[in-house]
Amino acid sequence: GALPSQAKLFDTPDLLHPYQITTRLTREEQKLVYMTKELKPRTYRVKAGHSIHIAGLKRLDVEETSLDTIYVTVWASPYLPLHMSKVENASKMFQGHFGHQLQPPIGEKRVEELENWVRMEFHVGGNSWDSSSVDIAAAGLGWFAIGLKGEAVLGVWTYEGVDVVHRSSLIPCRSNTFEQCFKNRTGHRTGEGTGSLVH
């Protein structure tokens, strides 16, 4: 019931594509990425200069925007931790937490095996606060849905060769609550769902 009435869904079992991030993961890591529970949105209100990580697999930077904040809804496996930080601290997150607090990948060796961490740039725009306008999707992982009434420049990071696309929002709805960020015992931020979505 989540897809539009005119949507077409194609199932392609056992087809492995090198541009999908799941083909690069171990069996243990894949268990965290695959969606075996109901997919639920996790929504943040994000200012320019802040980042959201999906585990150690993908990162979105809000680099520039004509607005005070934008809505970013993460659609990905509930087993994948989400972490928010300032863009200026993102490289420290990569060096210090990937493979540990940010899993998958599991272990420092696996971070090295996944090779280069690369950036792509997307210019996005929308005309509504009530729903997401565009998605930034990574093959085999999930997507960031962006809700905004204006324009923004987004930097998206993942491993080289993983296909990342910009499209109209597949599921425009958001979570009914914001993810609130707090610092855990490691000193970095993570998400906890509270707060109403009122712009």
Side-chain angles (χ1 to χ4, degrees):
L3 296 176
S5 58
Q6 299 301 314
K8 294 181 179 180
L9 184 64
F10 296 92
D11 184 16
T12 56
D14 300 325
L15 292 182
L16 302 178
H17 300 285
Y19 57 80
Q20 290 181 324
I21 199 164
T22 42
T23 62
R24 306 180 182 197
L25 302 180
T26 66
R27 185 64 59 89
E28 186 178 3
E29 292 167 342
Q30 288 174 349
K31 289 178 181 178
L32 298 173
V33 173
Y34 291 150
M35 299 172 194
T36 57
K37 288 186 175 182
E38 180 183 358
L39 183 61
K40 294 182 179 180
R42 291 176 277 179
T43 300
Y44 293 84
R45 193 170 178 177
V46 186
K47 295 180 179 181
H50 287 75
S51 300
I52 297 177
H53 299 257
I54 301 180
L57 300 176
K58 185 181 179 185
R59 182 181 105 216
L60 179 139
D61 298 342
V62 181
E63 297 180 353
E64 300 175 27
T65 179
S66 59
L67 311 160
D68 290 336
T69 59
I70 66 173
Y71 293 139
V72 179
T73 299
V74 180
W75 293 91
S77 166
Y79 299 115
L80 294 175
L82 306 181
H83 296 267
M84 180 180 278
S85 67
K86 291 184 177 180
V87 172
E88 62 193 48
N89 297 328
S91 61
K92 295 179 182 178
M93 295 287 291
F94 181 85
Q95 295 167 4
H97 299 292
F98 276 37
H100 300 289
Q101 287 86 359
L102 292 174
Q103 293 186 356
I106 300 174
E108 291 183 15
K109 183 179 178 181
R110 288 288 298 129
V111 177
E112 297 173 1
E113 291 172 350
L114 288 173
E115 299 182 350
N116 295 331
W117 184 244
V118 297
R119 174 187 175 275
M120 287 150 275
E121 183 173 297
F122 296 91
H123 293 247
V124 301
N127 56 13
S128 175
W129 293 115
D130 297 326
S131 60
S132 298
S133 300
V134 296
D135 295 339
I136 307 294
L141 177 61
W143 66 93
F144 294 108
I146 312 299
L148 73 170
K149 197 170 184 178
E151 297 180 346
V153 178
L154 308 176
V156 179
W157 296 76
T158 190
Y159 294 97
E160 188 172 13
V162 175
D163 193 25
V164 178
V165 298
H166 167 255
R167 68 190 183 200
S168 297
S169 192
L170 180 64
I171 306 177
C173 60
R174 295 191 302 257
S175 170
N176 293 324
T177 59
F178 281 128
E179 297 289 322
Q180 299 291 334
C181 294
F182 62 91
K183 288 186 178 180
N184 63 18
R185 286 178 293 180
T186 66
H188 61 283
R189 294 169 182 253
T190 185
E192 180 84 2
T194 59
S196 62
L197 274 178
V198 179
H199 184 264

